[in-house]
Structures are given as structure tokens and as C-alpha cells.
Amino acid sequence: GEDVEQSLFLSVREGDSSVINCTYTDSSSTYLYWYKQEPGAGLQLLTYIFSNMDMKQDQRLTVLLNKKDKHLSLRIADTQTGDSAIYFCAESSTGGSYIPTFGRGTSLIVHP
Amino acid sequence: SQTIHQWPATLVQPVGSPLSLECTVEGTSNPNLYWYRQAAGRGLQLLFYSVGIGQISSEVPQNLSASRPQDRQFILSSKKLLLSDSGFYLCAWSVGGSNTEAFFGQGTRLTVV
């Protein structure tokens, strides 16, 4: 099975909050990441969180980590049409030779 | 500053033809290098990674191969392409031996016809 799982699609209305969820299986995960991929482009890091943190906030982005349940979420406040993209959850750990493992990506569609 | 270059951006190749995609990184030494494939509806699949010159690890069996002839050069190849090789190929690098973000190239859209 996959090491990192996330739902494939999320549709929200402009101005609402978006919450993208992710679960992972590696209990030794050290860093957890959220990447954004715009159409036809590579991935860019949005934010990351250390495994010893519960929450990280960066402007409109809030990352929540429940280490016990191995659950990570990304909340985007006041979602805009420019936020429409694919969002990838990823994790890396010392045990995994630091190689990032990605989820399948969640396509966020923001409609007016 | 570090940059990553990946080319070509798009490629249309017939079935059975060879493939060579190139990726180079500037501004860093001894990076970890990665090739990912993004197929429709299947997310990001790690194909190969390399922690040093000549060191290649394959994550999935397939008709693709990778080489790292120089510290900052990573090449993805195939002797004979299959239809199923179509997809979006992404090269990436990260700082070796540490948990840091991965930096991605802009990708190559490969269509095998």
C-alpha cells in the first residue's frame, strides 16, 4: 500500500476555507511537507512542519499535525482562484534515507 | 543560488524509439537527485534516486534506466519506449544527507505514440 495517502479532489467556493488532508504510515517521519503544483509545472514547496510540532501557521496557510494518528492537514483561508492547483503531501525520515515520499496529490478546484 | 534545469519541456516519441531526458543542477555540490513520473490519476511515483556519482537506486522495475555521469547531472533513458511510458517526468534535487525540501525542475511532458 501507499505510504502517504490523500483524497484526489476538493472543490470549494472562492472565499471559503479549504482543508486538504493527508495520512502517512511511517512513524519515524521527521519532516512533513506540502507542495503545490500548478498546471504543466514542477512542484514548489508551500510549507513544512517538523514532526515535533503540532501546528504551523504561515499567512493564509495553517498546517496541523496529529502525530498519534499520523494525520496532516493543510488549511487555506480565504481560498482564491489562484489557489487552484494540485497539492501534494510528502514525508521524509532518516530511516528512509531522507528520500521524500509523496502522496497522489489533491486537486483543489476553486470556483466563484 | 541553486537552480535546476530539465529538458526538453515536451517530447513526442514513437513506440520503440530511445529516450534521453537530461537534468542538471547548479549552485550545489553532492546533491541527492531524483526522477519522478507523474501519470494521470496516479500521483507522483519515484523512479530513481541517486546519492552520488554512479550510484543509482531504482524504485520500480521498468524499461527505464538512469545514470549520473557527473555530480550534478542526472539522465533518464530508455532503449525502447512503450506507450505506457507516456507521462510527466520530473527531476528534483535535495541537499544530501538531510531532511530538507526537494527542488523540482519544470518537468518534461512525454507522449509516446
Side-chain angles (χ1 to χ4, degrees):
Chain A
E2 293 183 333
D3 296 323
V4 179
E5 293 190 8
Q6 48 184 133
S7 54
L8 294 181
F9 299 99
L10 177 65
S11 178
V12 300
R13 188 176 300 176
E14 190 174 16
D16 288 350
S17 293
S18 308
V19 180
I20 303 172
N21 294 301
C22 169
T23 57
Y24 59 98
T25 57
D26 188 352
S27 58
S28 67
S29 294
T30 308
Y31 278 48
L32 295 130
Y33 312 84
W34 283 105
Y35 285 81
K36 178 182 180 182
Q37 183 186 31
E38 298 193 352
L43 280 67
Q44 288 191 307
L45 182 70
L46 270 182
T47 186
Y48 66 91
I49 189 169
F50 302 126
S51 60
N52 62 357
M53 298 169 63
D54 297 324
M55 185 182 86
K56 181 178 180 181
Q57 189 154 2
D58 183 3
Q59 298 181 335
R60 291 191 297 122
L61 305 178
T62 303
V63 178
L64 294 177
L65 174 61
N66 182 328
K67 196 173 180 181
K68 175 176 171 289
D69 294 338
K70 299 189 185 69
H71 182 267
L72 183 74
S73 68
L74 173 70
R75 179 177 181 270
I76 305 173
D78 187 25
T79 313
Q80 303 298 307
T81 54
D83 294 324
S84 293
I86 301 176
Y87 291 81
F88 288 90
C89 173
E91 63 86 23
S92 67
S93 66
T94 306
S97 301
Y98 308 106
I99 298 166
T101 300
F102 288 83
R104 288 191 168 197
T106 300
S107 290
L108 174 64
I109 301 166
V110 182
H111 53 90
Chain B
S1 63
Q2 303 90 358
T3 56
I4 178 169
H5 303 281
Q6 184 183 342
W7 67 93
T10 58
L11 193 58
V12 180
Q13 291 282 96
V15 169
S17 64
L19 173 73
S20 180
L21 302 182
E22 189 160 344
C23 173
T24 59
V25 180
E26 296 176 359
T28 187
S29 297
N30 197 31
N32 285 351
L33 295 171
Y34 312 90
W35 278 112
Y36 288 89
R37 177 169 60 201
Q38 186 177 20
R42 296 185 62 184
L44 210 59
Q45 182 185 37
L46 179 64
L47 300 176
F48 300 95
Y49 70 91
S50 171
V51 298
I53 296 175
Q55 299 178 61
I56 309 293
S57 296
S58 174
E59 289 294 296
V60 291
Q62 59 211 322
N63 69 320
L64 298 172
S65 62
S67 62
R68 185 171 178 173
Q70 299 180 44
D71 182 43
R72 289 169 287 179
Q73 184 184 27
F74 206 23
I75 298 171
L76 182 69
S77 305
S78 173
K79 291 182 180 178
K80 286 186 179 181
L81 284 168
L82 305 172
L83 286 174
S84 58
D85 291 324
S86 294
F88 193 52
Y89 289 82
L90 289 157
C91 180
W93 75 272
S94 65
V95 174
S98 67
N99 281 303
T100 60
E101 70 176 286
F103 298 89
F104 283 81
Q106 288 301 296
T108 297
R109 172 73 60 193
L110 172 65
T111 305
V112 183
V113 295

